[in-house]
């Protein structure tokens, strides 16, 4: 996944163009900036790459989610359905708006189970947020049908799946809104950054305003602009956007390299009895940032993970226990440990998560082991890795 592996002369040259003028802000200073608009440049080219009409670049993936929810009108007391396996940004962005994250089970896709989504809908539900974890997608057709039937917003968190597609469309472009992160460990990076994409003109206009204190961006005098709505500051700086411009040019190469490495490792282990792979919905193409396998039991998965790590396989994850991406790892959420008072209803709903039954999610997460795909592996490293992985799996599964 990591674009930081290929930081080089292109990135430096782009950043230097900004440093030469000293205009680090994306708006204004027309006289000084010599026509350099890095954020704008990135937005145009990213929208084109994703096949959508609009892109709003912001300061992080987390702020992208908050902006997307805000423009979709999600706020106080509204419910947003998210999966139990996700990054903390999902519930952070929802809580920021006074809305309620409703966590529901995942299935063999490692993302939202459409049946669990259906079951969780109430009159307060406003939005369904599939999170395309580890490079592959939820069953978007099923989720879209549910959203259409109940008049809900479909917001795709594609932060970990940039470049993946579903029925020919870029992940993130299928729903009403899609979000991306360009933090330092994502497929392409801005250092810090994020983006919201949409084909909805009103959402795009509101995103532009909301991420910059509600500025309408009309005219050439920033101080004289009006503010149709309240906003925040989720702006990206020109320096970060410049890094992104260079990385965007590398995106196709990065994805091709990921796919090559993924396929090499996958074919090495595919016939080992007891190894199955994460389900990719029909019509879906992964971005190959992770290789995800299932073992027959949770005990075996834990054992495989430990043995992989011990034999020197780095970037191998057992999300079920050893990480921060699953409901069991979020006591700060279920205990509602907020620095400031929360609405009582929000606090109550978070507390309830502590005793909710997520055994269906456990069934998949417990048996999952996840391997990050790196770009820098040479042929020899790749072969060595495949051999190690095969040996560990065969040893444990033949017992
Ligand atoms: C990284 C990530 C985010 C948040 O991105 P930041 O830019 O780090 O705020 C959101 N969702 C998912 C699934 C992520 O992996």
């Amino acid at each position: 996944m990591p674009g930081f592996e290929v930081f080089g002369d292109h990135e430096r040259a782009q950043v230097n163009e900004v440093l030469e003028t000293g205009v680090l802000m994306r708006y204004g200073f027309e006289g000084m900036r010599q026509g350099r608009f890095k954020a704008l440049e990135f937005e145009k080219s990213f929208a084109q790459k994703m096949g959508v009409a609009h892109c709003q670049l912001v300061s992080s993936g987390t702020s992208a989610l908050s902006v997307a929810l805000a423009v979709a009108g999600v706020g106080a007391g509204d419910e947003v359905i998210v999966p139990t396996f996700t990054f903390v940004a999902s519930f952070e962005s929802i809580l920021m708006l006074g809305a309620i994250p409703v966590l529901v089970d995942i299935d063999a896709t490692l993302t939202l189970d459409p049946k669990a989504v259906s079951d969780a809908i109430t009159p307060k539900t406003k939005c369904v947020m599939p999170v395309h974890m580890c490079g592959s997608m939820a069953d978007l057709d099923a989720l879209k049908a549910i959203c259409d039937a109940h008049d809900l917003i479909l917001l795709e968190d594609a932060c970990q799946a940039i470049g993946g597609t579903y029925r020919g469309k870029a992940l993130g472009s299928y729903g009403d809104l899609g979000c991306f992160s360009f933090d330092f460990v994502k497929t392409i990076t801005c250092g810090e950054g994020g983006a919201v994409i949409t084909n909805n003109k009103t959402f795009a206009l509101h995103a532009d305003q909301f991420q910059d204190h509600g500025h309408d961006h009309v005219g050439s005098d920033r101080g004289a602009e009006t503010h149709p709505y309240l906003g925040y500051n989720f702006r990206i700086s020109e320096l970060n956007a410049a890094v992104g411009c260079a990385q965007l040019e590398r995106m196709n190469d990065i994805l091709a390299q990921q796919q090559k490495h993924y396929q090499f490792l996958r074919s090495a282990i595919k016939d080992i009895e007891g190894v199955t792979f994460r389900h990719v919905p029909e019509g879906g193409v992964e971005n190959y940032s992770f290789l995800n396998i299932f073992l027959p039991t949770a005990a075996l998965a834990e054992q495989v993970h430990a043995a992989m790590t011990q034999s020197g396989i780095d970037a191998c994850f057992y999300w079920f226990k050893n990480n921060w991406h699953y409901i069991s790892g979020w006591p700060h959420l279920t205990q509602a440990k907020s620095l400031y008072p929360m609405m009582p209803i929000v606090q109550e709903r978070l507390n309830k998560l502590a005793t909710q039954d997520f055994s269906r999610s456990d069934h998949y997460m417990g048996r999952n082991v996840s391997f990050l795909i790196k770009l820098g592996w040479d042929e020899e490293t790749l072969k060595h890795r495949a051999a190690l992985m095969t040996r560990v799996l065969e040893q444990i599964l033949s017992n």
Side-chain angles (χ1 to χ4, degrees), residues 205 208-210 212-219 221-222 224-229:
L205 176 71
D208 170 66
Q209 296 169 343
F210 186 75
D212 185 23
H213 305 295
H215 274 273
D216 66 7
H217 299 137
V218 173
D221 180 0
R222 188 169 165 82
E225 287 175 13
T226 64
H227 305 85
Y229 297 100

Side-chain angles (χ1 to χ4, degrees), residues 60-62 65 87 89 131 133 157 159-160 181-183 186 192-193:
S60 73
T62 311
L65 290 168
F87 182 56
V131 183
M133 287 297 278
D157 178 340
C159 291
Q160 293 193 11
S181 164
F182 308 116
D183 79 22
K186 294 306 200 284
E192 298 284 0

Side-chain angles (χ1 to χ4, degrees), residues 114-115 117-118 138-148 166 174:
K115 168 82 170 60
V117 171
S118 273
D139 183 342
L140 286 168
D141 266 355
L143 294 178
K144 178 129 180 41
I146 294 169
C147 288
D148 287 348
Y166 181 75
Y174 189 86

Side-chain angles (χ1 to χ4, degrees), residues 224-254:
E225 287 175 13
T226 64
H227 305 85
Y229 297 100
L230 294 169
Y232 283 94
N233 177 3
F234 290 133
R235 291 189 308 258
I236 192 155
S237 85
E238 283 287 279
L239 289 172
N240 293 96
V243 175
C245 287
Q247 289 263 306
L248 200 51
E249 282 178 26
R250 297 183 191 271
M251 190 168 108
N252 290 348
D253 291 343
I254 290 175

